[in-house]
């Protein structure tokens, strides 16, 4: 806080303007507030406060200052347009439009029309915005930019891109125009071109504004917030990093997406814009789901809430099986359901209905799926026609449209299949997948789930291999990128079809890659080979050969310091509980030496499992993991299982 009393006489005005010139708007506000409190009709104080508040993004306070100015000095038209702009920026669209009509100066007419167009655009009144833009001078580069923005809303991205390029040719390079071009390429799935424009924005921002500390957070350097200054806004760095994060997320490079968010200029959490807050919530949902839900719930209550927030929050509720919360949010925000993709709304509605009536949910999913398949057939026909006409651009556009339609169809198909999967009716699940083979036979998620359902039927291991093998071979050079359970199921399928050599080759390949990764990063825990052996051990236990199965489980967990984890313990304890149950029922006999190995293993698990959790606390659970800390450890569960085993065996 600046202490006014310490300023030398005659330096007050110079100090304020120096702060403003150096973009130190917060310090300037601290100087101006005492002057305003002494004389709340001071034109200079109100005008400068309004300007400074606008520059730091506090548009509500800016609107308050300009509102007072137009009351005291109604003859100054410029204050009226500043007032309307501040209202528009603070999402008060109706008052902003009313304020814009009070501006009578002919010299400000062009600005007023542009402002009214922006208000209509923000209200999603595209015809109204277009009529306003068309009133502007056709040779004004802002007109080209505004028409481009309207085309983006209409999903005419190629045409919008041309408009933005035309505006840039006239105005020269501008970060926001470059961002608009990148956004068009993103929507057209031309990620390389989008990233090129983003790189240009970031490079220019770093070169011209090193004070914005780009990338410092990612490097682990403790830096102060740069605030929401107009300088930051003009660089378009926040928008560029958010778009880069979205592209990396689409490309499944989740680490890259998180890094893009930490690379952007540092700001405190209360200073973050809604888009950044939304992206942080999504991209850190796996590591911090509770915080993610809190951020999305907060955003839903804001005027500037990104339109995707509502759908993403509902999808995440469904993913984490909070169906009641999803139903409540839909009921409380009926006005937002009308803005959702109709297919998404119907899908979520059916998911919620499934909890009380699976049969009705299946019928609804079937209706949605039929509409999706009809649409996919139409697009397939369109692709064929475009190919016959040798229209490469049309083919590319139609193929992209097909891919988007398929991505909407897959979740509906999987939701249908899950209804019967939960009932362990795997034959019916297989029938559902067979009906969709026409469209999905090249889709990785479909192939993977077909493999799983064939595997679970226990008499179709050969067919399961036919689906698992291509997935594994596709990533054979980086085999640890394949899910451990896929590798385990493939090994089991090989064993069950007497292809032991193939199973051993695959396990040797996994072991080799794990050793290599162990050299590169000795501290990293890798569980792939361990889980493969655990699943094989579980298979033998399920077939009644507990001695061999349990021995395999125990060996797979060595060394305990590197192999004992939440997932591996989950598989191991199931085998031990199965052993105890069968011993208690006197259904099997196990040699003493094997039982001694079991006791020794559980003692090791007790020793190394003090800091290994058994389960993740649900994100919205009232009981935190800290409250369950004593019981939510491998140590606690290993003691219980050891006690049960000693009791059953009377050792």
């Amino acid at each position: 806080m600046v202490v006014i009393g310490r300023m030398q006489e005659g330096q007050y005005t110079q100090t304020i303007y120096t702060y403003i010139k150096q973009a130190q708007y917060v310090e300037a506000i601290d100087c101006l507030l005492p002057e305003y409190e002494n004389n709340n009709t001071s034109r200079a104080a109100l005008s400068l406060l309004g300007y400074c508040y606008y520059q730091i993004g506090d548009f509500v306070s800016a609107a308050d200052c300009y509102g007072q100015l137009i009351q005291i000095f109604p003859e100054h038209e410029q204050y009226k347009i500043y007032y309307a702009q501040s209202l528009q920026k603070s999402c008060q669209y109706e008052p902003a439009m009313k304020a814009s009509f009070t501006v009578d100066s002919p010299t400000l007419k062009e600005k007023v029309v542009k402002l009214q167009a922006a208000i209509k655009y923000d209200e999603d009144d595209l015809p109204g915005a277009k009529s306003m833009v068309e009133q502007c001078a056709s040779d004004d580069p802002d007109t080209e930019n505004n028409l481009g923005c309207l085309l983006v809303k209409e999903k005419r991205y190629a045409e919008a891109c041309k408009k933005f390029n035309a505006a840039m040719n006239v105005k020269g390079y501008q970060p926001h125009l470059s961002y608009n071009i990148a956004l068009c390429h993103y929507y057209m799935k031309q990620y390389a071109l989008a990233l090129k424009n983003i790189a240009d924005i970031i490079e220019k921002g770093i070169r011209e504004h090193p004070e914005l500390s780009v990338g410092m957070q990612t490097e682990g350097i403790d830096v102060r917030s740069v605030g929401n200054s107009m300088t930051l806004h003009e660089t378009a760095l926040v928008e560029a990093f958010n778009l880069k994060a979205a592209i990396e997320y689409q490309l499944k490079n989740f680490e890259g997406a998180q890094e893009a968010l930490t690379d952007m200029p540092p700001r405190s959490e209360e200073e973050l814009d809604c888009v950044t807050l939304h992206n942080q919530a999504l991209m850190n949902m796996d590591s911090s789901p509770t915080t993610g839900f809190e951020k999305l719930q907060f955003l839903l209550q804001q005027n500037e809430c990104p339109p995707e927030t509502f759908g993403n929050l509902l999808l995440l509720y469904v993913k984490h099986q909070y169906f009641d919360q999803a139903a409540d949010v839909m009921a409380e925000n009926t006005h937002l359901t009308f803005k959702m993709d109709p297919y998404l709304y119907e899908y979520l509605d059916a998911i919620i209905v499934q909890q009380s009536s699976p049969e009705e949910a299946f019928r609804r999913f079937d209706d949605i799926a039929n509409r999706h398949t009809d649409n996919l057939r139409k697009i397939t026909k369109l692709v064929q026609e475009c190919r016959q006409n040798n229209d490469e651009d049309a083919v590319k556009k139609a193929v992209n449209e097909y891919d988007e339609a398929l991505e909407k169809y897959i979740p509906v198909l999987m939701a249908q299949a899950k209804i019967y999967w939960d009932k362990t009716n795997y034959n019916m699940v297989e029938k559902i997948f067979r009906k969709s083979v026409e469209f999905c036979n090249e889709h990785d998620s479909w192939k993977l789930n077909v493999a799983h359902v064939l595997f679970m039927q226990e008499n179709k291991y050969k067919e399961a291999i036919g689906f698992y093998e291509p997935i594994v071979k596709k990533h054979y050079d980086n085999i640890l990128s394949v899910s451990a359970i896929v590798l385990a199921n493939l090994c089991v399928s090989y064993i069950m079809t007497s292809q032991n050599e193939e199973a051993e080759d695959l396990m040797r390949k996994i072991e080799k890659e794990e050793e290599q990764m162990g050299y590169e990063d000795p501290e990293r825990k890798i569980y792939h080979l361990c889980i493969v052996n655990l699943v094989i051990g579980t298979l033998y236990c399920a077939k009644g050969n507990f001695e061999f199965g349990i021995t395999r489980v125990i060996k797979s967990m060595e060394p305990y310091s590197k192999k004992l984890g939440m997932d591996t313990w989950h598989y191991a304890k199931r085998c031990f509980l199965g052993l105890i149950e069968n011993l208690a029922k006197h259904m099997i006999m196990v040699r003493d030496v094997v039982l001694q190995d079991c006791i020794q293993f559980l003692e090791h698990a007790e020793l190394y499992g003090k800091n290994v959790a058994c389960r993740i606390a649900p994100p919205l659970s009232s009981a935190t993991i800290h409250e369950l800390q004593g019981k939510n450890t491998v140590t606690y569960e290993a003691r219980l299982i050891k006690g049960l085993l000693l009791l059953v065996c009377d050792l």
Side-chain angles (χ1 to χ4, degrees):
M1 177 70 74
V2 177
V3 182
I4 303 300
R6 291 180 185 169
M7 284 188 195
Q8 293 181 15
E9 193 173 347
Q11 287 189 343
Y12 182 70
T13 303
Q14 182 186 346
T15 301
I16 290 169
Y17 278 99
T18 302
Y19 281 141
I20 291 172
K21 185 180 178 182
Q22 295 174 351
Q24 294 177 274
Y25 301 112
V26 175
E27 289 81 355
I29 290 167
D30 289 339
C31 285
L32 287 162
L33 282 173
E35 173 64 21
Y36 169 72
E37 288 165 3
N38 291 334
N39 180 10
N40 62 8
T41 60
S42 168
R43 179 181 171 186
L46 279 169
S47 178
L48 289 170
L49 274 171
Y51 176 80
C52 291
Y53 279 129
Y54 193 93
Q55 293 295 318
I56 65 171
D58 187 352
F59 302 115
V60 173
S61 297
D64 183 50
C65 291
Y66 290 123
Q68 292 179 61
L69 280 166
I70 61 175
Q71 293 293 324
I72 303 166
F73 306 101
E75 70 279 7
H76 288 275
E77 296 283 289
Q78 197 73 40
Y79 292 142
K80 293 178 183 178
I81 199 161
Y82 292 159
Y83 176 58
Q85 283 176 333
S86 300
L87 289 171
Q88 181 250 338
K89 288 285 189 181
S90 60
C91 302
Q92 301 178 65
Y93 303 124
E94 193 175 334
M97 186 62 81
K98 286 180 181 176
S100 71
F101 287 128
T102 65
V103 183
D104 299 321
S105 172
T107 58
L108 295 173
K109 183 182 176 184
E110 189 81 5
K111 281 188 176 180
V112 170
V113 172
K114 288 180 182 178
L115 176 60
Q116 289 172 343
I119 294 166
K120 293 284 186 185
Y121 181 85
D122 288 338
E123 290 180 317
D124 285 330
D125 180 2
L126 298 189
K130 193 172 184 179
S131 68
M132 295 288 180
V133 172
E134 287 170 350
Q135 293 177 37
C136 299
S138 59
D139 59 349
D140 184 346
D142 285 343
T143 303
E144 290 290 285
N145 183 41
N146 291 338
L147 286 170
C149 292
L150 288 166
L151 288 167
V152 169
K153 283 269 189 178
E154 294 169 359
K155 299 184 179 180
R156 294 158 63 185
Y157 306 119
E159 295 170 66
C161 201
K162 289 177 183 176
K163 293 287 183 186
F164 296 134
N165 276 308
M168 192 179 284
N169 289 336
V170 177
K171 299 179 80 170
Y173 183 85
Q174 289 197 348
H176 277 281
L177 282 173
S178 187
Y179 168 75
N180 289 345
I181 293 166
L183 188 63
C184 291
H185 288 307
Y186 168 75
Y187 283 130
M188 292 188 287
K189 300 190 185 301
Q190 297 169 355
Y191 297 137
L193 290 171
L195 288 168
K196 181 183 179 299
N197 281 276
I198 290 167
D200 292 342
I201 296 168
I202 295 169
E203 185 184 341
K204 182 179 172 66
I206 293 170
R207 186 176 64 251
E208 296 183 1
H209 298 283
E211 74 278 5
L212 292 177
S213 305
V214 170
M216 296 293 189
Q217 277 185 308
T218 304
E219 297 296 327
I221 301 169
D222 191 18
V223 285
R224 56 171 289 188
S225 165
V226 299
N228 285 311
S229 64
M230 194 54 64
T231 302
L232 178 62
H233 170 70
E234 288 168 355
T235 61
L237 282 169
V238 170
E239 293 87 345
F241 278 116
N242 272 313
L243 185 56
K244 185 181 180 184
I247 292 169
E248 298 291 1
Y249 192 82
Q250 291 292 335
L251 296 172
K252 311 294 183 190
N253 180 10
F254 302 120
E255 285 185 16
Q258 290 173 336
E259 189 175 301
L261 291 180
T262 55
D263 274 347
M264 71 171 63
R267 293 171 293 166
S268 57
E269 191 157 294
E270 58 270 17
E271 292 173 328
L272 295 178
D273 59 285
C274 289
V275 175
T276 303
L277 206 61
H278 171 270
N279 289 345
Q280 279 188 354
L282 281 191
M283 293 175 199
N284 296 302
M285 188 57 85
D286 287 342
S287 59
S288 185
T290 305
T291 306
F293 277 118
E294 287 172 357
K295 287 178 179 177
L296 293 173
Q297 289 160 351
F298 167 78
L299 284 172
L300 206 57
Q301 299 163 16
Q302 307 305 304
N303 289 330
E304 294 181 81
C305 166
E308 297 84 3
T309 306
F310 183 55
N312 285 336
L313 178 59
L314 291 171
L315 286 169
L316 287 165
Y317 274 141
V318 166
K319 178 184 175 181
H320 289 269
Q321 301 188 353
Y322 292 117
F323 303 108
D324 290 343
Q325 284 90 332
D328 290 344
V329 168
M330 286 181 81
E332 291 164 7
N333 297 276
T334 50
H335 62 291
L336 294 175
T337 60
F338 297 111
K339 298 179 182 179
M340 287 176 71
D341 182 328
Y343 283 121
L344 178 59
Y345 174 76
E346 290 177 340
Y347 169 77
L348 289 166
D349 191 45
I351 287 276
I352 291 166
V353 167
Q354 183 184 338
Q355 310 318 305
S356 55
S357 176
E359 294 78 12
E360 173 61 18
F362 187 87
R363 187 192 65 75
R364 293 191 188 190
F365 283 132
D366 210 37
D367 288 343
I368 303 168
N370 288 336
R371 273 178 277 146
H372 276 302
T373 52
D374 288 344
N375 187 39
L376 286 165
R377 287 191 182 98
K378 285 178 187 174
I379 301 171
T380 303
K381 188 178 178 183
L382 178 63
V383 171
Q384 290 169 349
E385 289 172 359
C386 293
R387 281 181 177 151
Q388 286 170 1
N389 297 330
N390 295 319
D391 189 341
E392 289 300 319
D393 289 338
V395 168
K396 191 179 288 186
K397 185 180 177 183
V399 168
N400 283 339
E401 193 179 338
Y402 182 90
D403 290 341
E404 286 177 13
L406 184 61
E407 290 302 323
K408 289 181 178 179
Y409 172 53
I410 289 287
V412 177
L413 177 69
M414 296 305 163
Q416 264 190 302
K418 188 176 183 300
I419 292 171
Y420 285 100
W421 178 277
D422 290 342
K423 296 178 178 180
T424 65
N425 187 346
Y426 302 121
N427 283 325
M428 193 63 195
V429 176
E430 187 183 346
K431 284 181 184 177
I432 291 168
F433 285 146
R434 286 191 185 282
K435 281 170 61 180
S436 60
V437 69
E438 173 187 354
F439 310 105
C440 307
N441 62 329
E442 294 299 321
H443 197 282
D444 286 345
S445 293
W446 182 86
K447 288 190 283 190
L448 181 60
N449 283 289
V450 170
H452 287 332
V453 79
L454 292 169
F455 179 85
M456 291 302 292
Q457 291 179 63
E458 297 186 357
N459 59 353
K460 295 184 178 179
Y461 292 114
K462 192 173 182 180
E463 292 89 335
I465 291 169
F467 284 95
Y468 280 132
E469 259 186 355
I471 296 169
V472 173
K473 285 181 179 177
K474 185 178 177 181
H475 302 279
Y476 202 70
D477 292 336
N478 183 22
I479 205 163
L480 297 184
S481 65
V482 181
S483 168
I485 199 63
V486 171
L487 298 172
N489 286 357
L490 179 56
C491 279
V492 168
S493 299
Y494 281 144
I495 292 165
M496 297 306 291
T497 53
S498 302
Q499 299 180 59
N500 291 3
E501 285 186 17
E502 284 81 352
E504 287 171 9
D505 287 344
L506 181 58
M507 291 171 74
R508 277 194 291 269
K509 173 68 175 172
I510 299 167
E511 186 176 13
K512 187 178 177 182
E513 284 215 14
E514 283 194 1
E515 285 176 0
Q516 182 62 37
M517 194 168 283
Y519 291 132
E520 293 169 5
D521 186 359
E523 298 301 314
R524 185 173 175 182
K525 292 186 176 183
I526 310 158
Y527 299 120
H528 279 63
L529 187 61
C530 178
I531 289 175
V532 170
N533 280 308
L534 283 168
V535 171
I536 293 170
T538 303
L539 171 70
Y540 280 99
C541 290
K543 298 293 183 184
N545 189 349
F546 278 96
E547 285 200 3
F548 183 83
I550 286 286
T551 302
R552 183 122 194 180
V553 167
I554 292 170
K555 287 188 183 300
S556 70
M557 298 291 283
E558 296 172 355
Y560 299 100
S561 58
K562 291 201 171 184
K563 300 300 182 184
L564 188 60
M566 188 186 298
D567 291 335
T568 55
W569 175 247
H570 170 75
Y571 287 106
K573 70 182 177 185
R574 290 172 65 196
C575 295
F576 281 91
L577 291 170
L579 171 68
I580 291 167
E581 182 184 1
N582 280 274
L583 286 171
K585 292 177 178 177
H586 301 289
M587 294 174 67
I588 57 170
M589 295 287 289
V590 178
R591 289 177 298 146
D592 288 349
V593 66
V594 176
L595 293 174
Q596 289 296 336
D597 287 343
C598 291
I599 298 296
Q600 190 177 24
F601 166 79
L602 292 168
E603 286 173 350
H604 281 118
E606 186 180 334
L607 178 64
Y608 289 97
K610 290 176 183 176
N611 298 314
V612 181
C614 298
R615 59 195 176 280
I616 300 170
L620 302 181
S621 172
S622 56
T624 66
I625 209 72
H626 297 293
E627 291 170 358
L628 302 170
Q629 196 164 13
K631 295 183 178 180
N632 186 41
T633 62
V634 170
T635 294
Y636 178 81
E637 290 193 351
R639 283 176 185 163
L640 281 180
I641 294 170
K642 179 184 165 186
L644 286 171
L645 186 59
L646 291 170
L647 184 66
V648 167
C649 299
D650 196 23
L651 294 175

